[in-house]
Amino acid sequence: MAYTSILNETRGRVGLITLNRPQALNALNPQLLTELIQALSDYDSDPAIGAMLITGSERVFAAGADIKFMAGASAAEMRANGFVSLFEGLRQIQKPVIAAVSGFALGGGCELALACDMIMASETARFGQPEVTIGVIPGGGGTQRLTRALGKALAMEVILNNRTLSAVEALRFGLVNHVVPVELLLNQSLALAEEIAERAPLALAAAKQAVNNADELALAAGLAGEREAFYNLFDTSDQKEGMQAFIEKRKPRWQGR
């Protein structure tokens, strides 16, 4: 499929997606998000791909949602255009998705990074939710995911008072996994994605779902889901191969079944 707002390529077992609206600082609009979800879905169904990486430019990951297409809209029109609901498409992706963030990740850009499973940040990365400064609130998950990541007090300050977090602050508060120099961000993010992509595919998907459940379900329900996924993996060829490879002290050969 030909895309106009993203670039996509494969690097080994990693699907690499680059946000590509430089004239608008990678501002998110329905077309970009639709293309992004389509590319992620295609990689998700490709057995040759084990993980995905989303990035922008050195200057900006995504500066927010494209205000121009929203400025004159009514509530009914925003409901009908489905823009913010497109963020939910990331919840359907079973394989690990990593965000590689350099420069600004603001508003919808921050929400996009938060919707990924891990965040790699360059030293120039800045995270924020400035929606209240233009009369709205985050609509793509920012109030929920940021609060779970940072805690209520700091999330309130970021969302209510437009506080931005530097890469170092984001690391200290647990928002990102690693902070690296700008020139190393893509290579080190790809290295992390490639390492993860070599793991057992079915186990990765089950583990990702279980961790997400920890954010979304009560403890008893999350524990029950974890146990069921654990048991079910014993009916897979990958479990037999993985344990036999461990016993034989060799590298496993995953089949994804």
Side-chain angles (χ1 to χ4, degrees):
M1 178 177 177
Y3 298 117
T4 60
S5 297
I6 64 170
L7 304 174
N8 68 310
E9 60 182 294
T10 58
R11 301 281 189 96
R13 285 183 49 78
V14 177
L16 172 61
I17 301 170
T18 303
L19 308 182
N20 188 41
R21 296 189 72 214
Q23 75 286 357
L25 298 179
N26 289 341
L28 308 179
N29 62 10
Q31 181 175 347
L32 187 150
L33 284 182
T34 298
E35 291 183 3
L36 174 64
I37 299 303
Q38 182 61 59
L40 288 171
S41 298
D42 289 345
Y43 286 137
D44 208 31
S45 61
D46 184 348
I49 298 297
M52 287 82 91
L53 181 66
I54 302 173
T55 192
S57 68
E58 287 189 1
R59 180 185 177 193
V60 60
F61 178 69
D66 193 332
I67 305 304
K68 291 180 180 179
F69 94 91
M70 295 190 294
S74 67
E77 288 167 339
M78 285 304 297
R79 288 190 181 96
N81 69 34
F83 172 62
V84 295
S85 63
L86 286 169
F87 285 88
E88 288 298 298
L90 273 81
R91 288 166 53 86
Q92 310 305 316
I93 304 301
Q94 295 184 332
K95 294 174 183 175
V97 182
I98 300 170
V101 177
S102 189
F104 292 107
L106 303 177
C110 185
E111 291 174 300
L112 175 58
L114 288 170
C116 296
D117 301 310
M118 291 174 245
I119 303 175
M120 293 281 288
S122 82
E123 293 168 334
T124 67
R126 302 283 299 186
F127 299 87
Q129 300 285 169
E131 285 86 349
V132 295
T133 67
I134 56 171
V136 292
I137 69 169
T143 63
Q144 304 304 299
R145 291 191 175 99
L146 204 64
T147 303
R148 284 167 168 77
L150 300 178
K152 177 182 174 181
L154 185 53
M156 284 286 193
E157 187 175 358
V158 171
I159 294 168
L160 272 60
N161 203 38
N162 194 24
R163 174 177 173 178
T164 60
L165 300 179
S166 68
V168 171
E169 289 176 315
L171 181 64
R172 185 188 339 148
F173 296 131
L175 190 67
V176 306
N177 294 80
H178 302 281
V179 175
V180 301
V182 174
E183 63 273 16
L184 299 180
L185 177 65
L186 182 58
N187 284 342
Q188 292 202 13
S189 299
L190 281 168
L192 175 61
E194 288 167 356
E195 188 173 7
I196 293 170
E198 293 302 318
R199 312 293 184 191
L202 297 180
L204 280 178
K208 171 177 171 171
Q209 183 61 57
V211 173
N212 282 333
N213 285 346
D215 251 355
E216 299 169 5
L217 303 178
L219 179 59
L223 289 172
E226 177 190 83
R227 284 194 299 271
E228 188 64 19
F230 172 77
Y231 296 143
N232 288 340
L233 287 168
F234 279 81
D235 280 340
T236 68
S237 297
D238 279 354
Q239 174 269 325
K240 301 297 185 288
E241 167 64 12
M243 292 191 175
Q244 193 60 36
F246 178 84
I247 293 170
E248 296 174 2
K249 296 181 172 56
R250 60 173 174 80
K251 186 177 179 178
R253 296 179 290 273
W254 308 121
Q255 301 177 57
R257 56 183 181 86

